[in-house]
Amino acid sequence: MASGLTTADSTAKLLSDLKIDAGDWPPTLVKNLHLLSPDQIQSGKMLLEMGQSHLFQHWAEPGVDDDQKKAFFTQLSKLNSSYPGGLASYIKTARELLADSKAGKNPYDGFTPSVPIGEVLSLGDDNFIKFEDVGVKEAKNAAFVLVAGGLGERLGYNGIKVALPAETTTGTCFLQLYIESILALQEASSRLTQGTCQKEIPFVIMTSDDTHTCTLDLLESNSYFGMKASQVKLLKQEKVACLDDNDARLALDPHNKYKIQTKPHGHGDVHSLLYSSGLLNVWHDSRLRWVIFFQDTNGLLFKAIPASLGVSATKEYHVNSLAVPRKAKEAIGGITKLTHSDGRSMVINVEYNQLDPLLRATGHPDGDVNCETGYSPFPGNINQLILELDPYIKELTKTGGAVKEFVNPKYKDASKTSFKSSTRLECMMQDYPKTLPPSARVGFTAGVQVEDPVQQVFNNQEVEVWPRVTWKPKWGITFAEIQSKVGGGCFISQKSTMALKGRHIFLENLTLDGTLIINSSDDAKVKVGGSIKNKGWLIERIDYKDITFPEELRIRGFKIEKKEQLEKTYGNFCY
């Protein structure tokens, strides 16, 4: 402070220099302005212009809680910079969406649903194998993005979901399975395209405050599961401000009057993070063509990736949503074509609780019903997307990485004037197509079930139980590759377990009734045949409330009782 100037004089001069009239500002803020930088004062001005003066009503006199006041503006800067368009844009969008919510506006008003055009695959037929071959060749031109910002608390697991076992036979965690699958695709793509050097496939993981450190620890403690550390990038999403009412007044943390309450924004943040990180342009310069998005706990995904990527390349889809057969009214969103009365159309996921009433309101009195296949004609969305890179970059350049948001306030009563608790804007990764122009080529790829499994009940849930057959991704990443390693009349009983941990393992005229584990080095060629019978590994139910078992078992409701098995290990020789 200049000699002879009081704090009030200094504040007045600062405001004059910034051309700010603070006549209507809260006195509690004005008294503390000398603590703030010019940029922070401008941020305060923005908040006041957006109707957020309540944030400063309880500020203490200068000299009290000064560090917390400065921390408030540090948090404000972070919230402002991490949202496309800044905090003012967030508040403006929130007011519009809250007004629509209060009015009960139907987000699909004027739209008529119909079944979209897509590719339905049948496992193992000539068409499937053709698409797989194309997809494996294209894999070297792809980047993979794993959305892993959430913990497993909803599942009854307090750790990160990617650390959970993908299956209980070998205990391989999801993250290891994903990395080994990408590496297997990388090698197969290089081999099929006769690459002179192996092109490394980029792998991005979107984390959050809840998962970032644990994810990094899991990678580092396992040497990135065989992937080069330089291939893996972690992008951490930030939370967004909570809202107290229909006027989008920002909510203060109940435990700290100098802190804005925040909550997760949703996995749709992955688009803005990729855009702001600059990775998309790096990939473009590296002549990549595809970005493949997947979520943290889908152990079967990479069985479908090669064929689905082949569909994208063959059909030249800008957006390809992987889908599964879906029973009518099943609690899973349906991939739907929506055509507006003004001619606009889009192919998008429609949540199951919206699809049935939408159909009934547009000339389908029975709503969402099964067709002659026994399934709904609207395929089930599983939140796995394949996007063509160049159109993706062009679209995100227009939107700044933002996707359409929604708000879901829980009102205290029918007047819809107040909330039970604070809410926030949310966004979903699969809503990216909502911003696309009608010319965008958007489709889906779906598979079919091949046979009925045995039904059993665990944790009061009926599940399908198959023979437990697992293999390392390097053993086989495509149906054709697996088919080439299985010959003769192989039979595996329903109670059997088989784990193949090697590259060149061939099954021929094998009859298995029990458990078989084969370990082999990458150079060994192993032929397995004949009749193998033992007591095997049994599935035993456990009570999810029984804390003597680890969480990862309790959430499944069963454990493996290893009675007997045949396990063989082979080095660099043929057998």
Side-chain angles (χ1 to χ4, degrees):
M1 187 187 309
S3 177
L5 287 178
T6 65
T7 298
D9 291 336
S10 177
T11 299
K13 184 178 185 307
L14 182 58
L15 291 174
S16 176
D17 292 343
L18 295 173
K19 296 182 172 58
I20 292 176
D21 180 4
D24 296 328
W25 284 29
T28 50
L29 175 59
V30 174
K31 290 178 182 179
N32 286 281
L33 284 180
H34 64 284
L35 299 171
L36 310 178
S37 69
D39 286 344
Q40 290 173 331
I41 292 175
Q42 291 287 8
S43 296
K45 178 184 178 185
M46 177 273 295
L47 284 180
L48 297 176
E49 290 174 346
M50 298 302 295
Q52 306 295 328
S53 61
H54 65 285
L55 296 173
F56 306 102
Q57 295 296 336
H58 304 291
W59 274 35
E61 294 291 316
V64 178
D65 299 334
D66 287 354
D67 287 344
Q68 294 186 64
K69 296 166 190 172
K70 294 176 182 178
F72 171 88
F73 277 93
T74 299
Q75 182 199 25
L76 183 64
S77 176
K78 191 173 185 180
L79 290 170
N80 197 50
S81 63
S82 62
Y83 184 84
L87 200 51
S89 177
Y90 178 82
I91 295 168
K92 179 176 180 293
T93 301
R95 284 180 179 150
E96 294 169 355
L97 292 175
L98 286 165
D100 289 345
S101 177
K102 183 178 180 181
K105 184 177 179 180
N106 180 358
Y108 299 118
D109 188 36
F111 284 99
T112 300
S114 60
V115 179
I117 296 174
E119 186 72 30
V120 178
L121 299 180
S122 295
L123 179 67
D125 68 10
D126 291 343
N127 202 41
F128 186 90
I129 292 172
K130 178 193 71 175
F131 282 128
E132 274 197 328
D133 184 62
V134 174
V136 171
K137 291 175 181 175
E138 284 289 331
K140 71 181 191 308
N141 301 318
F144 285 82
V145 180
L146 169 62
V147 177
L151 294 172
E153 292 170 321
R154 184 175 57 84
L155 304 174
Y157 179 68
N158 289 308
I160 55 174
K161 286 185 281 186
V162 292
L164 279 167
E167 37 79 16
T168 53
T169 300
T170 66
T172 301
C173 74
F174 280 103
L175 190 54
Q176 179 177 354
L177 175 64
Y178 295 151
I179 287 178
E180 290 181 347
S181 297
I182 293 170
L183 291 175
L185 270 175
Q186 176 179 290
E187 180 185 350
S189 187
S190 178
R191 184 174 65 249
L192 286 181
T193 56
Q194 298 180 336
T196 54
C197 61
Q198 187 161 300
K199 194 172 182 179
E200 294 176 357
I201 295 176
F203 182 35
V204 171
I205 306 174
M206 185 183 82
T207 62
S208 67
D209 285 334
D210 293 329
T211 66
H212 186 85
T213 300
C214 291
T215 302
L216 187 59
D217 288 346
L218 181 61
L219 287 166
E220 292 181 342
S221 62
N222 290 279
S223 301
Y224 287 75
F225 297 107
M227 182 173 274
K228 293 181 180 178
S230 58
Q231 281 180 254
V232 185
K233 303 289 184 186
L234 270 59
L235 299 179
K236 185 163 73 75
Q237 69 176 142
E238 303 295 342
K239 296 179 180 180
V240 292
C242 291
L243 309 162
D244 255 345
D245 54 31
N246 286 323
D247 292 326
R249 283 161 40 106
L250 301 183
L252 285 170
D253 189 307
H255 307 293
N256 186 343
K257 65 183 179 181
Y258 297 104
K259 185 177 181 181
I260 295 172
Q261 186 182 17
T262 60
K263 290 182 180 179
H265 190 216
H267 47 57
D269 275 350
V270 69
H271 301 297
S272 60
L273 283 172
L274 285 173
Y275 176 75
S276 62
S277 71
L279 281 174
L280 297 178
N281 290 327
V282 172
W283 295 343
H284 176 271
D285 293 342
S286 300
R287 302 180 68 180
L288 296 189
R289 187 182 175 191
W290 309 103
V291 186
I292 301 174
F293 296 85
F294 62 107
Q295 291 190 278
D296 39 24
T297 51
N298 191 334
L300 296 176
L301 172 69
F302 279 87
K303 304 291 191 294
I305 283 292
S308 302
L309 183 55
V311 170
S312 285
T314 303
K315 303 286 186 178
E316 297 185 331
Y317 283 157
H318 292 170
V319 178
N320 186 3
S321 296
L322 277 66
V324 295
R326 171 185 167 275
K327 291 288 187 180
K329 301 178 181 63
E330 186 179 356
I332 176 176
I335 305 296
T336 309
K337 181 178 181 180
L338 297 176
T339 304
H340 198 271
S341 55
D342 62 12
R344 290 179 290 136
S345 66
M346 59 182 172
V347 176
I348 195 71
N349 170 65
V350 177
E351 292 301 327
Y352 71 95
N353 59 338
Q354 296 173 313
L355 180 58
D356 188 71
L358 180 61
L359 285 164
R360 292 177 186 275
T362 53
H364 304 272
D366 295 329
D368 182 24
V369 294
N370 294 328
C371 62
E372 65 277 2
T373 65
Y375 293 94
S376 167
F378 298 93
N381 171 56
I382 55 172
N383 278 2
Q384 324 295 328
L385 302 173
I386 301 176
L387 305 185
E388 188 171 4
L389 179 60
D390 283 0
Y392 182 50
I393 291 175
K394 290 176 183 176
E395 184 61 26
L396 293 193
T397 301
K398 289 188 288 186
T399 65
V403 298
K404 293 288 185 180
E405 294 165 301
F406 65 95
V407 67
N408 187 26
K410 302 298 187 290
Y411 299 107
K412 284 185 177 179
D413 53 44
S415 68
K416 295 184 176 181
T417 55
S418 57
F419 306 156
K420 291 180 179 178
S421 61
S422 63
T423 189
R424 83 286 197 188
L425 300 192
E426 299 179 70
C427 61
M428 297 190 293
M429 176 179 69
Q430 66 269 28
D431 280 349
Y432 162 74
K434 286 184 177 180
T435 67
L436 296 178
S439 59
R441 295 185 292 276
V442 182
F444 68 87
T445 305
V448 297
Q449 292 184 344
V450 294
E451 63 180 354
D452 293 330
V454 173
Q455 302 289 325
Q456 292 189 20
V457 177
F458 302 104
N459 283 350
N460 297 318
Q461 295 187 46
E462 188 175 79
V463 297
E464 300 174 341
V465 179
W466 304 76
R468 276 70 63 198
V469 179
T470 67
W471 60 86
K472 288 285 188 180
K474 63 184 176 183
W475 182 72
I477 200 70
T478 66
F479 180 86
E481 188 177 9
I482 293 167
Q483 191 177 43
S484 71
K485 294 179 178 177
V486 180
C490 292
F491 171 78
I492 300 175
S493 70
Q494 196 280 328
K495 74 171 189 177
S496 291
T497 299
M498 182 168 66
L500 304 177
K501 304 176 182 180
R503 186 184 303 277
H504 303 296
I505 302 172
F506 299 88
L507 309 180
E508 189 167 343
N509 296 313
L510 170 68
T511 298
L512 175 63
D513 186 25
T515 295
L516 172 66
I517 301 171
I518 302 293
N519 307 290
S520 67
S521 67
D522 285 352
D523 295 329
K525 292 184 178 180
V526 181
K527 183 183 290 186
V528 182
S531 178
I532 298 172
K533 184 178 178 64
N534 54 53
K535 295 178 181 178
W537 293 359
L538 307 180
I539 296 179
E540 293 190 358
R541 292 182 181 86
I542 61 174
D543 187 344
Y544 73 93
K545 298 177 183 177
D546 187 343
I547 61 173
T548 62
F549 294 104
E551 287 179 331
E552 55 266 32
L553 293 181
R554 298 207 310 268
I555 64 176
R556 285 183 159 94
F558 65 86
K559 69 181 182 73
I560 303 294
E561 182 66 25
K562 298 180 179 181
K563 295 287 188 181
E564 188 179 13
Q565 72 272 343
L566 175 64
E567 182 169 2
K568 294 286 187 178
T569 300
Y570 301 96
N572 300 336
F573 58 88
C574 298
Y575 173 79

